[in-house]
Amino acid sequence: MRSLTAPELLGAWEAGYPHPSAGRALALLGAAFPERSLGELARLPVGARDALLLSLREGTFGGAIRGLVACPRCAEQVELAFEVGDIRVPTAAAPEVLEVERAGHVVRFRLPDSRDLAALAAGREPAGPGQMLARCVVEARREGAHVEVRELPEDVVGAVSSAMEAADPQARVELATTCPGCGHGWAAGFDIAEFLWREVEAWAQRLLRDVHTLASLYGWSEEHILAMSPWKRQRYLELVGR
């Protein structure tokens, strides 16, 4: 995919800023894939959305990812370093509705998407491990009779959850991590939506400071400054001691 221009990325940051994580991810994807409607992007399974975000990150900031995570045992900050390709999972498009049969139950369900993440984050529905499942189950039956999601046995719920992960593996990324301080090992979760947004926000804040500096000294408009290549903009900043 093509890299976003500075005005496009800055516009995506401005559009996503008032929203929680799911809305911010959609703002970034909306800028990167203008040929696709926000509604279409919102209906993508979380893993399919994250695959696009990985491509956007690679095209915008490169493939190398560096970050810090706190050790759950001693709280020491542990550095994570990997490439986008290391966590990219090749997957085929999943059916719109999947089905699991277990212990006499037949459960038809769809994969979680950004609409589900936004609804839970906004508190429109009570938070809890079963709420996502309740949103995604299309139909549950036992011997032909309707069954409420809250009435499903634990092994059936587990089977549905496992089927969701198998059908959308990119939605859950975990990195084998060992703390150099205490030796504790654990699987550190990595959320590309949150990580990329923090990167975009830090970039946007730096860019706004640069625009302010050049506009104040030269009287140039934001549009004029953003139209410059990053290389040329940096040369002007060096001339003014930034």
Side-chain angles (χ1 to χ4, degrees), residues 197-212:
W197 180 261
R198 289 197 299 270
E199 286 189 307
V200 169
E201 186 161 44
W203 169 88
Q205 296 287 5
R206 290 194 302 270
L207 182 61
L208 289 180
R209 287 193 295 270
D210 293 346
V211 169
H212 172 74

Side-chain angles (χ1 to χ4, degrees), residues 110 115-117 119-120 125 130-137:
R110 60 175 177 81
R115 299 170 299 175
D116 303 310
L117 298 179
L120 295 181
E125 299 174 13
Q131 292 309 309
M132 182 65 79
L133 189 67
R135 287 185 58 85
C136 294
V137 168

Side-chain angles (χ1 to χ4, degrees), residues 25 34-35 38 53 58-59 74 77 79 93 98 105 119 127 158 168 181 209 231:
E35 72 281 3
L38 287 180
L53 289 173
E58 192 170 37
C74 70
Q77 293 294 305
E79 182 180 16
L98 298 92
H105 293 76
D168 198 25
R209 287 193 295 270
W231 182 89

Side-chain angles (χ1 to χ4, degrees), residues 143-212:
E143 297 180 354
H146 173 76
V147 178
E148 295 291 340
V149 174
R150 63 177 179 273
E151 298 171 353
L152 291 173
E154 287 186 12
D155 60 334
V156 176
V157 171
V160 173
S161 297
S162 296
M164 283 182 171
E165 289 189 21
D168 198 25
Q170 192 70 72
R172 183 175 180 178
V173 174
E174 294 182 329
L175 304 166
T177 309
T178 302
C179 176
C182 69
H184 178 64
W186 79 102
F190 176 75
D191 184 341
I192 180 57
E194 291 283 358
F195 184 86
L196 178 56
W197 180 261
R198 289 197 299 270
E199 286 189 307
V200 169
E201 186 161 44
W203 169 88
Q205 296 287 5
R206 290 194 302 270
L207 182 61
L208 289 180
R209 287 193 295 270
D210 293 346
V211 169
H212 172 74

Side-chain angles (χ1 to χ4, degrees), residues 34-75:
E35 72 281 3
R36 307 176 76 166
S37 70
L38 287 180
E40 178 187 355
L41 293 169
R43 291 190 295 273
L44 289 174
V46 173
R49 180 205 70 171
D50 286 358
L52 294 181
L53 289 173
L54 286 172
S55 295
L56 173 58
R57 200 282 177 184
E58 192 170 37
T60 303
F61 298 119
I65 293 180
R66 302 289 183 273
L68 296 173
V69 63
C71 172
R73 174 177 291 175
C74 70

Side-chain angles (χ1 to χ4, degrees), residues 9-10 12 27 36 72 88 138 144 182 188 193 231 235 237 242:
L9 193 55
L10 197 61
R36 307 176 76 166
R88 182 178 278 124
V138 176
C182 69
W231 182 89
R235 300 293 78 77
L237 289 167
R242 278 288 302 275

